[in-house]
Amino acid sequence: MAIVAILLLPVVTMLLYGMDRTEDWLARAPKPPRRARGRHLRLIHGGRRQTAAPAGRGEAETETETEAA
């Protein structure tokens, strides 16, 4: 019985070490998000030079106005 315990000692040691590393990995804080540079965010041709549509003029409102007329 002592021989089995001595043979299992390295296995238990590695198991405890692995679980400690895994616990530390799961408990650490997430890394801060990466920030993209400004030029990477302009997806529309022309970027900020073009103006957006006025607020409140969506597809649903346009459809109900044409049906009511």
Side-chain angles (χ1 to χ4, degrees), residues 1 7 14 16 25 29-30 33 41 45 47 50 53-54 60-61 68:
M1 184 127 140
L7 291 175
M14 293 305 296
L16 286 173
W25 174 67
L41 299 176
H45 181 69
Q50 296 178 351
E61 289 182 21

Side-chain angles (χ1 to χ4, degrees), residues 28-65:
R28 72 178 179 218
K31 294 179 183 176
R34 293 176 50 197
R35 303 288 182 207
R37 289 174 276 176
R39 68 175 184 254
H40 290 255
L41 299 176
R42 294 193 181 120
L43 302 176
I44 300 172
H45 181 69
R48 292 184 181 175
R49 291 180 292 210
Q50 296 178 351
T51 59
R57 300 293 296 178
E59 245 181 78
E61 289 182 21
T62 309
E63 289 176 6
T64 54
E65 289 176 1

Side-chain angles (χ1 to χ4, degrees), residues 15-31:
L15 181 65
L16 286 173
Y17 177 75
M19 291 302 293
D20 182 55
R21 298 284 294 180
T22 304
E23 185 181 45
D24 289 342
W25 174 67
L26 291 174
R28 72 178 179 218
K31 294 179 183 176

